[in-house]
Amino acid sequence: MKITKMSVMVLMLGLFLGSCAKEEEMAAATPTLYARLGGVDAISAVVDEFIGRVAANPDMARTFKPLLDEVGAQGASSPKLISLRNNLIDQIGEASGGPQKYKGKDMVTAHKGMNITTVEFNSLAGNLSGALDKFSVPTAEKTELLTVIASLQPMIVGK
Ligand code: HEM
């Protein structure tokens, strides 16, 4: 067979298109973190458990006092509590590749003036870790989510 310039180009194009299709297939085969966590219902359950742990955590008493006072007075209908819960679900949903859109304040603005310490930050991250363990979230997914949370530290600590 005579190898023409044209046949080499057609072959290369074929190889290129083939590799594109493979990449697409591989991307489709890896579900998002959101899907692997179990979607919005699983994330909501983790957020509820997380909020319960934060509320009971003595390290959080200083910064969360206004919220805890409102919950003490109004129970589960506290607007601050409802808003925080929805914002956390949206934030984790969006960060893990879900359809949610976070509509709350950016992390610097939300924590401005609180002077949150590294100890407080790690204590709260420990509450999230505990909540994920409670629902037996596997190590890979847990590490992925905690890595996203850890990346927010510079925007939250010391503001
Ligand atoms: C680990 C990463 C953290 C994330 C992802 C996070 C996320 C959020 C979000 C989404 C809000 C609501 C923002 C809004 O209302 O628009 C918020 C508010 C707040 N955060 Fe954080 N936060 C983190 C760490 C911390 C830490 C370490 C503390 C304290 C030790 C803290 C204390 C608060 C308080 C007191 C509020 C206001 C709650 C209220 O009264 O409505 N956060 N945070």
Side-chain angles (χ1 to χ4, degrees), residues 2-151:
K2 193 172 164 227
I3 301 174
T4 62
K5 220 176 189 178
M6 184 55 114
S7 62
V8 171
M9 279 167 70
V10 167
L11 179 68
M12 284 173 69
L13 182 68
L15 287 172
F16 174 71
L17 291 176
S19 80
C20 288
K22 260 253 140 48
E23 263 169 41
E24 262 168 40
E25 248 170 55
M26 280 166 70
T30 310
T32 59
L33 175 60
Y34 176 78
R36 283 179 283 133
L37 286 170
V40 72
D41 290 347
I43 290 173
S44 303
V46 167
V47 165
D48 287 337
E49 176 68 23
F50 170 59
I51 289 175
R53 285 171 186 247
V54 168
N57 181 349
D59 293 343
M60 298 299 133
R62 178 183 75 85
T63 47
F64 279 95
K65 188 171 186 316
L67 174 62
L68 291 171
D69 286 349
E70 189 178 286
V71 174
Q74 303 189 30
S77 62
S78 148
K80 274 179 193 281
L81 179 65
I82 293 167
S83 157
L84 182 65
R85 178 180 188 271
N86 289 336
N87 277 332
L88 287 171
I89 293 168
D90 286 348
Q91 192 184 34
I92 294 175
E94 183 173 358
S96 61
Q100 292 76 12
K101 293 279 167 260
Y102 175 66
K103 298 177 282 295
K105 296 174 186 149
D106 66 81
M107 286 296 95
V108 174
T109 308
H111 301 94
K112 207 164 213 132
M114 291 186 197
N115 289 305
I116 292 169
T117 65
T118 307
V119 169
E120 287 171 331
F121 184 89
N122 290 337
S123 187
L124 180 133
N127 287 150
L128 181 58
S129 176
L132 293 165
D133 284 343
K134 158 112 195 221
F135 291 101
S136 306
V137 171
T139 310
E141 282 70 29
K142 189 181 156 192
T143 307
E144 243 178 273
L145 186 59
L146 290 176
T147 304
V148 175
I149 295 299
S151 75

